[in-house]
Amino acid sequence: MVGSGLVVRDLSVGYGPVRALRRVSLEVPEGAVVTVLGSNGAGKSTLLRAISRTLSFQGGTVTGGEVRLGGRRLDRLPPDRVVAAGVSQVPEGRRVFARMTVADNLRAGALGGDRAGRAESLARVHELFPVLAERARQRAGLLSGGEQQMLAVARALMAAPGFLLLDEPALGLAPLMAERIADTVREINAQGTAVLLVEQNAALALRLATHAYVLEVGEVTLEGPAAELSASDEVRRRYLGVVDEDAAADAETAGARTLTRWKG
């Protein structure tokens, strides 16, 4: 697997004796949106932490494989150098600095950049999220859940990443707000930022992505164009909640026959 984008090759991760990822490989081309689907505990968040080099904060370690960006090894860098290389993560659960103002949260995301770069990034996130400009002096903890998610994404964008790692951005949000976040992801991508999206809402994720991977118990079990996976009977049944209508009809008929015999 080669490419100028973000490449994960044969990545294995453990938490002590527990193996969380087993030889996972995937690629996020420049300018693409790629999604990783899977149930809780499949290893999706672990994958993003391994890429962003924040695994050690949860007691995890990479035990094999590598992560490269444009051919450069990321898996040997500290987290701040991964950000400097162009990869930023929005963690699950938003995790904004609740006691700090919105403006200070955004400044925290731009630490290390020059003044002109910070001003350009701030203008970009204010254009994407006008509400954050309106509430610049408000404490982040007083924002709604959807607004906190916007702030978490905006804070990551302040570093002007080429690749954005999004961990469950629609989690816990009302459907309308989830769609607003989805529209924002499209706009971020249209501006040239590639996105690796982990999302429980598989229908939303497959609409956003061009390519998708399915992760089960730490292993990639299925991958392909998002449109093909969204049409897959297995994916539809397991992740989209779509029932096989023929099988359901057969079961209903069999149940009716059993009931008729019981009544007789």
Side-chain angles (χ1 to χ4, degrees), residues 232-246:
S232 159
D233 288 340
E234 180 181 357
V235 171
R236 285 160 62 84
R237 175 176 55 82
R238 299 185 68 170
Y239 300 106
L240 302 179
V242 177
V243 177
D244 184 325
E245 294 180 0
D246 291 337

Side-chain angles (χ1 to χ4, degrees), residues 118-234:
R118 288 196 298 269
E120 185 176 339
S121 293
L122 186 62
R124 179 191 184 193
V125 299
H126 281 171
E127 183 178 353
L128 282 168
F129 307 107
V131 68
L132 299 183
E134 297 168 6
R135 306 197 178 182
R137 298 178 182 275
Q138 185 172 325
R139 284 191 179 185
L142 299 178
L143 299 176
S144 69
E147 289 165 347
Q148 287 187 24
Q149 185 62 73
M150 292 177 187
L151 178 57
V153 173
R155 185 178 60 194
L157 290 176
M158 287 295 293
F163 291 80
L164 186 66
L165 312 179
L166 276 175
D167 195 351
E168 304 283 8
L171 183 66
L173 299 183
L176 184 60
M177 181 57 71
E179 286 299 330
R180 287 183 63 187
I181 293 295
D183 288 341
T184 300
V185 172
R186 290 188 187 95
E187 190 168 352
I188 290 168
N189 178 243
Q191 294 175 356
T193 302
V195 178
L196 179 56
L197 171 66
V198 161
E199 178 55 62
Q200 284 276 347
N201 186 335
L204 181 148
L206 289 170
R207 288 201 309 272
L208 290 172
T210 54
H211 202 85
Y213 295 81
V214 175
L215 200 59
E216 295 185 16
V217 199
E219 298 181 356
V220 174
T221 57
L222 194 63
E223 70 161 290
E228 289 184 12
L229 262 66
S230 65
S232 159
D233 288 340
E234 180 181 357

Side-chain angles (χ1 to χ4, degrees), residues 57-88:
F57 302 153
Q58 286 80 29
T61 55
V62 172
T63 58
E66 61 183 32
V67 180
R68 291 181 180 268
L69 178 62
R72 178 187 183 188
R73 292 283 294 267
L74 294 185
D75 50 280
R76 296 173 176 171
L77 300 177
D80 62 319
R81 298 309 301 164
V82 172
V83 174
V87 180
S88 292

